[in-house]
Amino acid sequence: MAKIDTVLEKVSRLALEDWAMMIVDPVEDSSELPTESGRCFIGATEYRGAVNGRLSVLCSANFMRLLCCNVLGEDDPSAIDDASAEDALLELMNVVSGNFVTEFFGEDKVFELVRPDVVVIDEGEDTSFFSSEHVRLFEADDEIVALSFEPEK
């Protein structure tokens, strides 16, 4: 496994387990992407600095609601509105992004992180822009979530 993949897995798992308080297991089969179950969401942020690139998270609406419940201490995922669920995903992006650049590039490198954004992907829409050779998949609280880092070439 390349160093970039090792770091991506480490910081993603740390954020999901420690910050989001989820039970997390790695998933090896890329056919498990959340796009197979209908509507999904992609949260993405871009890096500018020593290296340019994009960090993305691909997940289901249910994952976002569970994430929000864990972060806010809410018991009922159905009580979570769409805006709060998207905010939770954006905050996860911030946590993973900050940890990723520090762990991979070091504390002495300066980066501008573009504000994360969430895009809705309906069933059957093209998600090829999510494809990167640096993708880590996890099962977090029984939901599949994928994180990728794509350096600019």
Side-chain angles (χ1 to χ4, degrees), residues 76-150:
D76 182 9
S78 67
I80 303 297
D81 61 75
D82 291 346
S84 296
E86 286 187 19
D87 284 347
L89 182 61
L90 292 171
E91 194 54 39
L92 176 65
M93 292 293 308
N94 286 330
V95 171
V96 173
S97 297
N99 283 292
F100 181 78
V101 295
T102 302
E103 182 77 23
F104 189 74
F105 299 106
E107 294 180 13
D108 59 333
K109 302 284 189 229
V110 177
F111 284 90
E112 173 191 356
L113 299 177
V114 176
R115 185 178 189 275
D117 193 24
V118 176
V119 177
V120 179
I121 306 296
D122 288 317
E123 187 171 10
E125 282 191 54
D126 181 24
T127 58
S128 60
F129 61 91
F130 186 78
S131 62
S132 168
E133 64 184 89
H134 306 292
V135 177
R136 309 309 310 152
L137 288 123
F138 299 94
E139 185 174 355
D141 285 359
D142 298 322
E143 292 289 326
I144 301 297
V145 59
L147 293 99
S148 75
F149 180 74
E150 189 167 358

